[in-house]
């Protein structure tokens, strides 16, 4: 596990979602997000609830007391600093704790309280008298499984009789024994082995199955299949709970396979808006010229915080070192860095210790940094075909909430081709227009 310094939140939350192409990337993004997060992500949208039985009353709770938790568990929840259920928890918790058990599929962006919700559900579900595994939770990677375990351990501080085991590679168990831990959390491969090959767990006795990060899970065929195989071992009375940050068609098809007759809870991401962002483009000739233009901007960059986006790692490290040579202080966030290193850089940026962050295109796709007031697209966002990537552009510069702080976006144009990209982006973001500047830009805050 990676230790991260946890301090009081002084700046608004930032969220990183490097939307990479492989499961490894996705899982790493998710881990970085977890490592840097200290508070709930704000979301003012309404929760959408689809009940399996639409005639049954819809329960939602405004306090943890209403859930009738044991005093020990309630104490654990408050001890974590949770005062009231989050948006998604208001509806998800009563469903997960209902009798008879109900299946649930829940989708909301990362940071909205899903892990805390199912951790609470598992802790509340176990019968400590019974010394066998009752709750099984699977997660895409070793590190993510450990993160969940930490939440369970912390929330269960005052429930010493609840025991937890980690079904992760390297955690060797003797064949032939049966685990006494009521909760097992692990990765699909090891958990499947523990259920089938080693028989450490009796799948017939599992009464709650949690599948976390379904979208990340299905990005690997192996994990997808192992999850389904674990699911097949379970009885039909076992309560199935599935969580995902996104809900594309493929996630949905998978979810339906592992969660029969589900209740469904969805919380839409807050819309990003460009209303408060002024957008510019600067005409340059080549990268040295872009650099000169960036240096002109530098005074403005450091007034608040700025992010500079490049297309490749090579370009990002070239730019960062050139800026440093010029005597500027910048931080580099790049894809080849270890997760812990990345988290540390983001943390420093978040705390205002770094004012300027240079980042690679892949690494930065989808970073939402609310406190950043200036975004420089040193290279414009393009997709694999080299066409304008409008979605990434919006993610880079968009703000959540109508009353988001004012911001600026500066796009460096260095060829006819990149001019076409700027035009395409401008055309796409209908309600905003771009202002053209030639080299010297003065941004008035
Ligand atoms: P997700 O699983 O959706 O990414 P988490 O459960 O990890 O979200 O929660 C995100 C952050 O919010 C964590 O730091 C967690 O401790 C905190 N959190 C979760 N639920 C609550 C709550 N009800 N009140 C306050 N903070 C919460």
């Amino acid at each position: 596990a990676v230790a991260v310094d946890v301090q009081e939140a002084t700046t608004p939350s930032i969220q990183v979602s490097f939307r990479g192409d492989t499961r490894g990337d996705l899982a790493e993004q998710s881990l970085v997000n977890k490592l840097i997060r200290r508070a709930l992500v704000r979301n003012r949208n309404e929760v959408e609830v689809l009940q399996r039985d639409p005639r049954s009353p819809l329960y939602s709770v405004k306090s943890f007391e209403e859930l009738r938790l044991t005093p020990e568990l309630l104490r654990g929840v408050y001890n974590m600093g949770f005062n009231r259920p989050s948006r998604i928890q208001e509806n998800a918790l009563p469903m997960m704790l209902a009798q008879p058990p109900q299946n649930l599929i829940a989708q909301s962006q990362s940071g909205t309280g899903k892990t805390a919700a199912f951790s609470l559900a598992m802790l509340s579900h176990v019968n400590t008298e019974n010394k066998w595994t009752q709750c099984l939770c699977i997660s895409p990677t070793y590190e993510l499984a450990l993160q969940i375990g930490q939440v369970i351990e912390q929330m269960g501080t005052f429930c010493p009789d609840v025991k937890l085991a980690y079904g992760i590679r390297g955690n060797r168990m003797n064949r032939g024994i049966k685990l006494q831990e009521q909760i097992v959390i692990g990765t699909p491969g090891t958990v499947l082995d523990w259920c089938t090959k080693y028989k450490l767990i009796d799948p017939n006795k599992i009464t709650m199955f949690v599948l976390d990060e379904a979208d990340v899970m299905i990005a690997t065929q192996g994990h997808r299949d192992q999850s389904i195989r674990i699911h097949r071992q379970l009885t039909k009375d076992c309560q199935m709970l599935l969580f995902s940050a996104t809900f594309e068609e493929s996630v949905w098809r998978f979810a339906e396979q592992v969660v029969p007759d589900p209740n469904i809870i969805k919380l839409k991401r807050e819309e990003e808006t460009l209303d408060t962002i002024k957008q510019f483009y600067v005409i340059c000739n080549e990268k040295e010229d872009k650099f000169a233009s960036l240096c002109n901007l530098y005074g403005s960059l450091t007034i608040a915080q700025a992010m500079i986006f490049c297309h490749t790692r090579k370009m990002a490290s070239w730019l960062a070192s050139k800026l440093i040579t010029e005597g500027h202080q910048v931080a580099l966030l790049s894809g080849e860095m270890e997760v812990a290193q990345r988290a540390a850089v983001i943390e420093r940026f978040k705390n205002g210790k770094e004012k300027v962050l240079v980042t690679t295109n892949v690494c930065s796709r989808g970073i939402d940094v609310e406190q950043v007031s200036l975004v420089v697209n040193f290279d414009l966002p393009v997709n694999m075909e080299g066409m304008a990537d409008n979605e990434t552009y919006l993610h880079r510069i968009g703000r959540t909430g109508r009353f988001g702080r004012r911001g600026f976006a500066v796009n460096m144009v260095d060829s006819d081709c990149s001019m076409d990209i700027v035009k395409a982006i401008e055309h796409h973001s209908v309600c905003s227009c771009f202002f053209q500047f030639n080299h010297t830009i003065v941004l008035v805050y």
Side-chain angles (χ1 to χ4, degrees):
V2 188
V4 173
D5 192 12
V6 179
Q7 302 159 351
E8 270 301 302
T10 49
T11 42
S13 74
I14 67 176
Q15 178 178 9
V16 188
S17 48
F18 316 117
R19 273 170 299 136
D21 299 324
T22 65
R23 182 195 61 87
D25 287 348
L26 288 172
E28 281 190 0
Q29 291 158 20
S30 188
L31 183 62
V32 174
N33 269 329
K34 286 207 189 302
L35 294 177
I36 60 171
R37 175 146 304 125
R38 308 185 201 100
L40 276 171
V41 166
R42 206 178 27 177
N43 190 317
R44 286 162 289 204
N45 285 337
E46 290 297 317
V47 175
E48 193 186 330
V49 184
L50 294 159
Q51 282 187 292
R52 182 179 44 144
D53 178 2
R55 288 158 308 176
S56 75
L58 178 62
Y59 293 108
S60 99
V61 290
K62 295 286 177 207
S63 73
F64 288 109
E65 271 85 2
E66 290 169 69
L67 295 167
R68 300 175 195 284
L69 304 168
T70 61
E72 294 77 20
L73 187 48
L74 192 58
R75 201 170 148 211
V77 170
Y78 285 135
N79 199 44
M80 291 182 83
F82 299 178
N83 297 323
R84 41 158 297 153
S86 71
R87 269 260 140 97
I88 190 107
Q89 290 164 359
E90 285 178 1
N91 295 96
L93 285 171
M95 254 173 208
M96 289 194 277
L97 303 178
Q99 278 308 331
Q102 309 217 11
N103 291 345
L104 173 70
I105 294 175
Q107 180 243 326
S108 63
Q109 79 196 79
S110 90
T112 45
K114 298 184 296 296
T115 307
F118 66 71
S119 298
L120 177 63
M122 286 197 279
L123 284 163
S124 172
H125 180 84
V126 294
N127 179 348
T128 51
E129 307 266 290
N130 295 336
K131 307 295 177 204
W132 63 75
T133 307
Q134 302 153 42
C135 299
L136 204 52
C137 171
I138 56 171
S139 174
T141 65
Y142 174 96
E143 291 83 2
L144 286 166
L146 289 180
Q147 292 295 316
I148 299 173
Q150 283 178 8
V151 175
I152 298 174
E153 284 177 27
Q154 205 186 345
M155 203 178 265
T157 305
F158 306 103
C159 313
D161 295 334
V162 181
K163 303 284 187 225
L164 169 68
Y166 291 96
I168 50 187
R169 79 185 127 77
N171 196 4
R172 300 203 184 286
M173 295 283 170
N174 291 331
R175 273 173 200 253
I177 59 151
K178 282 273 181 284
L179 293 181
Q180 302 206 339
E181 286 84 356
Q182 297 96 347
I183 301 176
V184 168
I185 147 159
T187 45
T190 309
V191 167
L192 181 62
D193 278 351
W194 284 17
C195 290
T196 53
K197 204 151 121 200
Y198 299 101
K199 305 210 185 305
L200 302 168
I201 299 168
D202 181 353
N204 292 320
K205 289 187 173 165
I206 301 295
T207 42
M208 182 179 270
F209 177 61
V210 178
L211 195 150
D212 191 25
E213 312 232 18
D215 47 355
V216 182
M217 203 76 101
I218 64 160
T220 308
Q221 191 69 32
H223 273 167
R224 191 180 176 282
D225 298 346
Q226 285 158 342
S227 305
I228 291 171
R229 283 174 62 197
I230 296 169
H231 172 258
R232 279 207 204 109
Q233 307 276 320
L234 307 172
T235 66
K236 69 173 193 335
D237 298 329
C238 174
Q239 186 174 13
M240 311 284 178
L241 308 169
L242 178 142
F243 299 84
S244 186
T246 59
F247 231 151
E248 286 145 31
E249 187 54 32
S250 53
V251 183
W252 179 236
R253 267 183 275 128
F254 172 66
E256 277 185 316
Q257 245 182 308
V258 280
V259 188
D261 300 327
N263 293 292
I264 300 163
I265 295 182
K266 288 190 202 171
L267 178 60
K268 269 220 204 80
R269 222 191 141 85
E270 269 197 39
E271 288 290 315
E272 269 135 329
T273 117
L274 298 181
D275 292 0
T276 56
I277 317 292
K278 277 207 161 46
Q279 302 168 79
F280 303 90
Y281 66 83
V282 197
I283 310 251
C284 305
N285 288 321
E286 33 92 51
K287 79 174 177 189
E288 294 291 341
D289 206 21
K290 292 203 278 188
F291 180 75
S293 172
L294 185 64
C295 288
N296 282 334
L297 255 174
Y298 221 84
S300 311
L301 292 188
T302 47
I303 289 174
Q305 276 185 300
M307 288 185 75
I308 306 172
F309 292 95
C310 297
H311 191 55
T312 59
R313 290 174 187 182
K314 203 167 147 209
M315 183 67 92
S317 54
W318 174 82
L319 183 58
S321 49
K322 205 159 157 74
L323 285 166
I324 291 165
T325 315
E326 292 281 312
H328 300 301
Q329 198 197 334
V330 298
L332 177 66
L333 178 73
S334 170
E336 71 260 25
M337 292 159 70
E338 294 276 316
V339 168
Q341 276 180 308
R342 274 192 253 163
V345 171
I346 296 167
E347 194 71 22
R348 285 177 55 76
F349 188 65
K350 196 171 162 182
N351 292 333
K353 291 188 185 126
E354 300 287 354
K355 293 282 195 194
V356 179
L357 188 67
V358 176
T359 177
T360 61
N361 207 35
V362 175
C363 203
S364 60
R365 276 177 75 193
I367 293 188
D368 307 333
V369 186
E370 288 174 25
Q371 82 252 35
V372 173
S373 39
L374 177 58
V375 169
V376 177
N377 287 317
F378 195 79
D379 297 312
L380 296 165
V382 288
N383 60 20
M384 304 280 251
E385 288 82 44
M387 309 293 281
D389 183 347
N390 295 306
E391 199 197 339
T392 300
Y393 183 82
L394 181 65
H395 266 294
R396 282 185 185 178
I397 77 162
R399 296 286 185 284
T400 54
R402 298 234 134 235
F403 307 104
R405 297 205 347 218
R406 251 152 48 98
F408 298 89
V410 176
N411 297 290
M412 304 275 180
V413 174
D414 61 359
S415 62
D416 289 347
C417 174
S418 59
M419 192 65 222
D420 289 345
I421 293 166
V422 158
K423 291 287 171 206
I425 293 171
E426 184 175 35
H427 182 70
H428 188 260
S429 44
V430 251
C431 48
S432 57
C433 62
F434 284 64
F435 303 97
Q436 182 189 338
F437 274 85
N438 286 326
H439 244 157
T440 314
I441 310 170
V442 181
L443 300 177
V444 185
Y445 284 83

